[in-house]
Amino acid sequence: MNLNIKAMAIAFGLVWGISLFVITWFIILLEGSSDTTTFIGKFYIGYSLTPVGSLIGLMWGIIDGAIGGVMFGWLYNRFNN
């Protein structure tokens, strides 16, 4: 059985993007906004622990997760045959 690569890309992208968005808001609610560079901010340009940074992280997360989903689905289909 082969995986649908487009569905994997959408699913992985949404899960990673929304997770990063929710985690960012959770940190903002607990500790407040901060413009200090985080570990993820070193890779995702524009990401910070701010409301605007959470939206930027959401967009980067969707793109990054979609790429990971495509790679996972392709590898799974490649080795499954």
Side-chain angles (χ1 to χ4, degrees):
M1 180 178 128
N2 286 335
L3 296 176
N4 184 343
I5 294 176
K6 187 186 294 186
M8 293 295 292
I10 292 170
F12 276 45
L14 287 176
V15 167
W16 178 239
I18 292 171
S19 297
L20 185 60
F21 181 81
V22 169
I23 290 169
T24 302
W25 273 99
F26 186 71
I27 294 171
I28 290 172
L29 290 174
L30 290 179
E31 298 178 9
S33 294
S34 173
D35 282 333
T36 59
T37 303
T38 61
F39 180 73
I40 295 174
K42 292 179 183 180
F43 299 102
Y44 293 168
I45 299 168
Y47 175 76
S48 60
L49 295 174
T50 61
V52 174
S54 70
L55 294 174
I56 293 171
L58 172 68
M59 299 205 0
W60 276 114
I62 289 172
I63 293 168
D64 193 27
I67 292 169
V70 166
M71 289 178 9
F72 179 82
W74 182 80
L75 284 171
Y76 181 87
N77 289 342
R78 179 80 174 143
F79 290 117
N80 191 29
N81 291 332

